[in-house]
Structures are given as C-alpha cells and as structure tokens.
Amino acid sequence: MPKIKKVLVANRGEIALRIMRTCRELDRIAVAIYSEADRKSAHVVYADEAYCVGPARASESYLNMRRILEVAQSCQADAIHPGYGFLSERAAFARLCEEKGVTFIGPPWPVIQAMGDKTEARRLMQAHGVPVVPGTDGEALGMQAAARKAEEIGFPVLIKAAAGGGGKGMRKVDKAQELRQAMALAQSEAQSAFGDPRVFIEKYLDAPRHIEVQILADTHGNRVHLFERECSIQRRHQKIIEEAPACIMTPELRRAMGEAALRAAAACNYVGAGTVEFLVDRARRFFFMEMNTRLQVEHPVTELITGLDLVAEQIRIAEGVSMPFAQQDLNINGHAIECRIYAEDPSAGFLPDPGRMRLHEVPAGVGVRVDAGYDGPGEVPVHYDPMIAKVVVWGRTREESSRRMARALRDYQVAGVKTTLPYCLRVMESAPWQHGELSTHFVQDYPELTQPEAVPYAQVAALAAVLHRQDNSASPTHDARSAEDGWLQRRSF
Ligand code: ADP
C-alpha cells in the first residue's frame, strides 16, 4: 500500500484537531470538512485545506457520505479519517471509500458491519471462547422464548437493540410480568432510533465496572493490546470520566482481559485500532459487551500511559506498515485521567446547555493535556454533541494524577454556558473516587456531587470584573453584562 499523502478528516471539534495535529507531525496534508455552522471553528482554521460540505444539520453535512467522498476525490485526498461518532462506524461509508479507491483509516467494512450488530458480535465472541454477559444467543425470538431465557438467567434483565449505540436502546426489566410490554416498546424504539427492530436479552449486572481494552492489529497479523481503561463514571450510559490503568486490576486479571481482547480481535480478523468493552462484576469476573471499531473519545489516557500516538499508529497500519513493537515491548507508565468537559448542567440531570461561551481559558502545566474543540471563546452549537474539551492528565500515581486533575479543573475558566467542570472537580475530591470505589451507578449513587453550591461573593465580583473588561474590549459600546450566567464556572465551584 502506498504512503498516504493527504488525509481528509471527516469530523469536527476536538477530534478533528487532534487527528490533524498528528498528520502535521507525520508530514501529511490535513484537510478539514465543515458545515455552515462551523465556518469559523478551530478545526477549520487549523487545517491545511478546508471545504464546506453542507448545512448545519449533520445528516446534510458530516453524515453526507457522497458529498464527503466527492470532496476527497476532488482535492485528491488519498485517505479519510472518520474520528469517532458520525461516519466512523458506518460500514456503508467504509465500503464506499473502498469502491472509490480512497483509504478508510479504520478496519475493513465487513468487520465494522459484523461488530456493529451486537448479536453477531456476541455469537462470534462465544465461538472464540470470549466470555459474554449471559443472554440470548441471537436476537430474542418470540415472547415465549424470550420469557424462558429471562427466567433462566434471572431478573433483572436488560433488553438491548442489536443495532444500538451511544447508550441508547436499552431497557431494564425487573420482573416477568413487565417483559411483554418492555419487549414491544424496545422493538419499536429500536426501529425508530436505528431502523432495525431486532433486540436481544442480557443479564442485568448490578453496578458493574466498565473496563475496556485498547487493541491494535496490523495487516500482517500482528496484534497487541495497550492495556485497559476504566470508564465506569457515566451518565445516560455515556462516559464522562475515564482513567488508565484501572485501580482494581491485578496482573492476572490484566493478562486474562488482554488475552480475551486479543481473541476478540482475532475472531473478527480485526485490523486497525479498536476497543473491546467488558463489564466486570464484584467478583472480578469479566464479560464481553461490545467491540468499538474506531478511535475512542477516551484514547488519550492510553496514549499517556504507553507513550504511543494512536492516530499515528492508525495511519501506519492503513499504509500496510508492520507494527514495530510486540506485546512484550509495551509497559504501563504512571497513571492518566480524562475528564470530559461538556456544555451540560450536572444539577439538571446533565441537560445540554449549548450557547455562547464568553470566556474559555484552558489549563496548562506539567502533565496536563487539553484536547479542545475551541481555541478561545465561541459558540457551542445546538446541532452537535455539546463537548467542549477533554482535560487529560498524567501523574506517577493515581493520587498524583487526581490532584493534578483537580488543579487543572480549577484553572479551567468557562463563562456563558454551564459545564461538567464543577462535577468533575467534586468527583476528584470525593472519598469514593479517592478510594477507587467505582461502578456504572456512580453518578446516581452520589447525587450530592451534582448539586450547585453557594458561591462566595468575592469570587462572583472577581468574575464580573473579568467579564466587564472582556466585554468592553470586544466592543467599546457594549454595556457590561451581568456575570450571573457565568459565575458558577469560574473557580467558584
Ligand atoms: P452502547 O453501545 O449504546 O454504548 P453498551 O453495550 O456499550 O451500549 O453499554 C453502555 C453502558 O450500559 C455500559 O457501560 C454499562 O454502564 C451499561 N450496560 C450495558 N450492558 C449492561 C448489562 N448487561 N448490565 C448492566 N449494565 C449494562
């Protein structure tokens, strides 16, 4: 396979910037695409070339496969990096790239297709000796068979959409009497959300930990795992704080989960960077949940503990280069944490709060990496995921990185929108976090961490002064606005 010279990044925000930075380091031309809402976005400014692909609505721009491929061909990009979300796990898009002779930086489309179907993925994993969460072998066929299976594995059970993703399409059922109605609802929800009504049943594990293993596989049959990440702190089944390594790991468990992840990769002939997600119960038994066939949002924590650049590895694998390291060459160095900073209101159930950020100053310093989608203040658009940035820190120990994260979150200044900054800070300073007592129920178990706090008057006054100064310098005729919409976010939580 020839060397890739020009990469079109079919994404936006922080991940587009993060991919383009590596392209620059590797001397590849980085091409951005953008929607009309993103004309002035940081990823557009940073790119070597940038092309508008349509209106704000994602279905007409970032998900517009034909238009994106037209742009790739007309600007002579020889590869497309899809990032995460959008087209990253659409087998049809990877296939279209192949048909048009553009390298898709990701696994072959049949792998994306197989792993995108959770029932197919479970079947394949079981056949290759990877433990899966107890449940139906394929889709849940007929009410009687579903009821028998649920009785066999025991309530509560979880009905899941075969084509589900993004934390959507799951329904917990506590008793047999609720199963019939829940199945009907789950099927119709799956049909409307994913265009595929198929559902299956899994045992509902009580407060498990979400631990996933990063893998890399090249086209020469070499496969390694890059250890684990723990992503148990979630809202709406979606991750918000991640760390590597996981604090409950023992060398035996790490070896067993790493080997299972490599068996999973071999089972589907995986090529590229991928993640095998597991749930781990209190007895430290682990169960395969699904495989993500793309770069994950939380990949930086793995980069910090291994010293690798996963995007660079993806590009080299796409070029057919053999991986220059084997499993025994890889080690864990220190500890890393990622906090996702979303424009969301933690005290209102993490409701999105997009809008104008009037102040946006990111932290810096030893061991602090900020992957942000903004290079200053700006508009968090209503059209897309409201993530502003990821703060990622490295420390020699979990304690050191937790302290560093708390400091970085205090230094992070945002005004104009509510964010997850205060929530993440409280988690870092909480006893359950510090003792490593984590589970996927963490957010519900500690509701006090989501509550807003009274703010000392002096801090409100300090912020008001900053905003007054900024507003006046931005527009001399502008009146100083009330600081009320921003005070919560500035050092004052
Ligand atoms: P998606 O593909 O929508 O992200 P996943 O299957 O990856 O869905 O699950 C997302 C989250 O839902 C998990 O991290 C976990 O918190 C919860 N979950 C999924 N399956 C189970 C289960 N069988 N028991 C308990 N919680 C589960």
Side-chain angles (χ1 to χ4, degrees):
M1 277 170 272
K3 188 173 159 181
I4 293 168
K5 296 190 202 69
K6 196 172 194 178
V7 181
L8 181 146
V9 182
N11 217 300
R12 64 181 300 280
E14 67 85 18
I15 195 63
L17 276 159
R18 187 259 164 275
I19 295 164
M20 291 194 284
R21 288 190 182 109
T22 293
C23 290
R24 287 234 168 125
E25 264 179 54
L26 299 182
D27 254 340
R28 319 297 162 100
I29 302 166
V31 180
I33 57 163
Y34 60 96
S35 72
E36 284 163 15
D38 276 341
R39 250 171 223 294
K40 295 182 189 148
S41 294
H43 80 280
V44 178
V45 176
Y46 187 82
D48 297 311
E49 295 172 28
Y51 301 94
C52 184
V53 288
R57 192 196 291 252
S59 59
E60 294 175 46
S61 50
Y62 296 108
L63 290 171
N64 188 342
M65 302 191 212
R66 301 217 168 256
R67 174 81 186 113
I68 292 170
L69 266 160
E70 266 167 34
V71 170
Q73 290 187 304
S74 69
C75 77
Q76 297 182 315
D78 36 20
I80 294 186
H81 195 306
Y84 54 69
F86 294 126
L87 296 171
S88 60
E89 288 180 293
R90 298 268 177 107
F93 182 63
R95 186 177 190 171
L96 210 56
C97 289
E98 187 182 292
E99 283 166 12
K100 303 278 182 197
V102 179
T103 301
F104 177 80
I105 302 180
W109 66 264
V111 177
I112 302 178
Q113 192 166 49
M115 294 300 105
D117 179 338
K118 294 187 184 204
T119 57
E120 168 68 5
R122 280 171 59 86
R123 195 191 56 71
L124 208 59
M125 294 309 143
Q126 265 174 308
H128 288 79
V130 179
V132 302
V133 182
T136 44
D137 293 331
E139 66 179 294
L141 288 169
M143 252 327 284
Q144 275 184 346
R148 263 201 310 276
K149 192 67 185 184
E151 285 300 340
E152 181 194 317
I153 58 180
F155 285 91
V157 297
L158 202 57
I159 305 176
K160 282 186 167 182
K168 299 188 191 81
M170 278 181 257
R171 194 167 267 273
K172 181 177 170 223
V173 185
D174 292 307
K175 343 189 211 338
Q177 301 86 294
E178 294 166 4
L179 190 66
R180 179 178 293 277
Q181 200 193 1
M183 283 276 288
L185 278 171
Q187 282 162 338
S188 78
E189 277 167 10
Q191 174 63 42
S192 64
F194 311 108
D196 178 348
R198 291 175 308 129
V199 297
F200 64 103
I201 292 177
E202 239 176 50
K203 171 87 187 144
Y204 180 83
L205 301 180
D206 182 31
R209 300 173 88 113
H210 174 123
I211 298 182
E212 58 188 34
V213 179
Q214 175 72 53
I215 58 125
L216 283 178
D218 68 18
T219 49
H220 305 271
N222 302 308
R223 297 185 195 98
V224 295
H225 71 80
L226 304 180
F227 314 105
E228 78 282 354
R229 296 184 284 259
E230 172 148 17
C231 316
S232 296
I233 303 191
Q234 308 176 344
R235 39 90 178 96
R236 296 188 286 273
H237 300 303
Q238 288 185 292
K239 304 157 189 168
I240 180 161
I241 300 176
E242 302 96 343
E243 65 180 315
C247 56
I248 56 155
M249 251 336 138
T250 59
E252 297 72 41
L253 185 58
R254 178 169 293 127
R255 196 172 317 114
M257 289 183 73
E259 280 167 9
L262 290 175
R263 277 204 301 281
C268 60
N269 292 317
Y270 203 83
V271 175
T275 296
V276 187
E277 295 191 333
F278 296 99
L279 290 177
V280 181
D281 71 10
R282 291 210 177 100
R284 296 194 188 174
R285 287 176 302 189
F286 64 91
F287 305 94
F288 170 86
M289 193 167 41
E290 68 163 346
M291 179 152 189
N292 289 133
T293 54
R294 54 166 161 83
L295 194 65
Q296 302 271 88
V297 176
E298 59 274 19
H299 76 277
V301 291
T302 300
E303 296 184 323
L304 294 190
I305 61 157
T306 58
L308 293 173
D309 174 337
L310 291 189
V311 173
E313 297 308 327
Q314 285 185 300
I315 292 174
R316 284 194 275 266
I317 290 171
E319 288 176 333
V321 176
S322 182
M323 274 191 292
F325 42 76
Q327 194 66 52
Q328 63 270 23
D329 303 321
L330 297 165
N331 292 302
I332 297 179
N333 178 26
H335 185 271
I337 305 171
E338 172 180 283
C339 287
R340 301 190 191 186
I341 312 309
Y342 286 96
E344 286 181 3
D345 182 356
S347 67
F350 292 88
L351 196 71
D353 187 34
R356 180 134 197 89
M357 272 195 296
R358 293 198 288 131
L359 181 70
H360 181 235
E361 286 173 15
V362 303
V366 175
V368 177
R369 161 175 169 181
V370 181
D371 283 12
Y374 301 82
D375 49 14
E379 184 79 22
V380 182
V382 291
H383 316 282
Y384 316 112
D385 179 78
M387 189 160 76
I388 299 167
K390 304 180 313 206
V391 181
V392 199
V393 301
W394 180 90
R396 288 166 299 181
T397 60
R398 188 172 187 269
E399 199 208 335
E400 187 174 72
S401 55
S402 300
R403 283 170 168 280
R404 188 161 280 160
M405 178 60 87
R407 188 274 294 169
L409 296 174
R410 278 209 187 80
D411 286 353
Y412 204 136
Q413 298 174 26
V414 177
V417 296
K418 298 214 167 68
T419 75
T420 49
L421 276 167
Y423 180 73
C424 294
L425 176 59
R426 287 201 201 115
V427 171
M428 288 301 119
E429 293 180 337
S430 72
W433 168 268
Q434 286 168 4
H435 298 151
E437 287 160 6
L438 309 180
S439 86
T440 57
H441 292 190
F442 188 94
V443 172
Q444 300 93 292
D445 285 349
Y446 303 101
E448 64 279 13
L449 302 177
T450 62
Q451 293 314 305
E453 255 169 37
V455 179
Y457 172 78
Q459 287 173 331
V460 178
L463 175 67
V466 170
L467 289 178
H468 179 84
R469 210 174 54 231
Q470 287 210 337
D471 282 350
N472 284 344
S473 62
S475 150
T477 55
H478 220 132
D479 285 343
R481 278 176 241 158
S482 149
E484 264 169 36
D485 58 349
W487 58 259
L488 186 66
Q489 306 302 329
R490 189 183 159 87
R491 295 168 187 263
S492 39
F493 29 78

